[in-house]
Amino acid sequence: MKQFKKNRIFELAQLGLPYIPAALGKFYPFLAIIYVLLGPVITSAIAAIPIAIVFIISGSTHVDLQAIMGSSVGMTGLMLVGFLPIYLLVWGWLRVFEHRPLWTIGMERKEWLSKYLRGALVGSVMIGAAVGLPAMFGYIQLQGNSSGVSVATMGALILFIGWVVQGAAEEVLFRGFLLQIIGSRFGVIAGVLVTSILFALLHIFNASLGVIALINLMLFGVFAAFYTLWEGSLWGVFAVHSFWNWVQGNLFGMEVSGLPVRLEALIDLKEVGPDWFTGGAFGPEGGIAVTLLLLAGIAVLWLLESRKQSES
């Protein structure tokens, strides 16, 4: 694959001075994979300890997770607790084993805002088109918003903070940290495929997960990897991921990868068509409409990168 081979993302990976014990050298990428799979679980558990202490001190006998997830503040808090430690997780590995700063995974400051805004537009348009396609066939219905405009707006804005942190954290982990390590050692194809498969498996316990949803999650991983490599940066894919989720869950009021985050939505939409097309209880990502949009997005990025390579 000549496309994406010479890439700024892989150049940044060489800026450190790797300190890897000889005995671990050949197993280094596999240790990184284990770190990605287990690290977030451990750090999230540690981050949750202060919250548990507060509940104990207040005399609560149990944590009502459903009640917490039923409010925008509670859901945002869960996302912050679950995903903020990921940045520290990746920083720690790079610091100890590769002697390079966090920004070298693709967070250079040059043109970061324009890249982020472009990614926000791309993510919003893509998920908007994925919802618009079944709507053309009458498979999407508009429901009344019972929470009121002001309440819905406030809730959606609060949750936007959580999506910004969550989307960027997953991209730091997969399209930054892991794509660099695997892609620079085994090639672009291996880097894209391994990180995309692992990204899909990260959602294996999500509610209402089906075969189409699993394929779409992997395709999103491929699209996100291609977008990262095409741009040579993570800033754009940060926004693609975050705005995709926010628009899907809190603008349109649909489930996000099976998660019930449609509370206080600005526009409350409901899927009424066949699940294989609309996604059903998993949300749009469980339907063939998203499959078509992601395949189109991957093809466009491939063509853009091919043109860039031919002009260089």
Side-chain angles (χ1 to χ4, degrees):
M1 181 191 289
K2 64 179 182 180
Q3 287 85 353
F4 306 108
K5 189 172 183 180
K6 293 182 179 180
N7 196 273
R8 182 59 178 167
I9 290 294
F10 298 133
E11 291 175 359
L12 289 171
Q14 308 303 319
L15 295 182
L17 298 172
Y19 175 72
I20 307 170
L24 298 179
K26 62 177 67 175
F27 301 108
Y28 184 72
F30 304 101
L31 292 175
I33 291 174
I34 294 173
Y35 190 70
V36 164
L37 294 176
L38 298 181
V41 177
I42 297 172
T43 53
S44 296
I46 294 174
I49 291 176
I51 299 176
I53 292 174
V54 170
F55 273 93
I56 293 172
I57 293 176
S58 65
S60 299
T61 57
H62 70 284
V63 178
D64 190 345
L65 190 59
Q66 286 295 109
I68 294 175
M69 294 181 66
S71 72
S72 55
V73 174
M75 190 66 189
T76 301
L78 287 177
M79 286 194 277
L80 295 180
V81 169
F83 291 98
L84 276 176
I86 288 177
Y87 301 93
L88 183 61
L89 195 72
V90 174
W91 172 84
W93 179 284
L94 296 177
R95 183 76 174 178
V96 172
F97 292 110
E98 302 200 13
H99 293 186
R100 60 186 174 105
L102 183 63
W103 65 265
T104 60
I105 61 173
M107 296 168 63
E108 293 177 285
R109 287 182 292 179
K110 183 180 179 181
E111 299 179 350
W112 74 270
L113 182 57
S114 62
K115 292 175 181 177
Y116 194 90
L117 293 175
R118 179 172 59 194
L121 179 62
V122 170
S124 300
V125 169
M126 286 188 70
I127 191 60
V131 172
L133 186 57
M136 291 172 58
F137 294 91
Y139 294 155
I140 302 293
Q141 286 185 355
L142 176 64
Q143 300 185 109
N145 193 325
S146 60
S147 59
V149 176
S150 59
V151 173
T153 301
M154 181 60 67
L157 291 176
I158 292 172
L159 278 161
F160 178 72
I161 298 171
W163 290 126
V164 167
V165 172
Q166 176 268 340
E170 290 189 3
E171 296 308 318
V172 161
L173 202 58
F174 288 97
R175 262 65 71 173
F177 173 69
L178 205 55
L179 180 60
Q180 276 189 335
I181 290 177
I182 296 175
S184 61
R185 287 166 174 79
F186 301 112
V188 180
I189 294 178
V192 171
L193 288 180
V194 170
T195 55
S196 300
I197 291 171
L198 289 175
F199 175 76
L201 292 178
L202 180 72
H203 301 79
I204 197 69
F205 296 112
N206 286 30
S208 305
L209 179 71
V211 175
I212 296 177
L214 196 60
I215 292 173
N216 284 344
L217 288 166
M218 189 175 72
L219 287 176
F220 182 87
V222 174
F223 173 81
F226 277 13
Y227 194 99
T228 299
L229 295 172
W230 168 70
E231 194 173 68
S233 165
L234 287 178
W235 292 110
V237 81
F238 283 172
V240 169
H241 197 148
S242 295
F243 275 79
W244 173 294
N245 286 346
W246 183 79
V247 169
Q248 184 177 196
N250 305 118
L251 179 60
F252 293 150
M254 296 178 165
E255 283 77 8
V256 179
S257 301
L259 299 178
V261 295
R262 53 192 298 168
L263 46 115
E264 299 169 354
L266 296 176
I267 305 172
D268 196 3
L269 301 180
K270 181 181 179 181
E271 306 94 334
V272 294
D275 289 353
W276 63 268
F277 193 70
T278 65
F282 193 79
E285 293 161 336
I288 201 74
V290 164
T291 309
L292 298 175
L293 264 295
L294 287 173
L295 288 173
I298 291 168
V300 169
L301 288 171
W302 182 275
L303 293 173
L304 288 174
E305 182 63 20
S306 297
R307 179 181 298 179
K308 187 170 67 173
Q309 293 289 343
S310 64
E311 293 174 352
S312 61

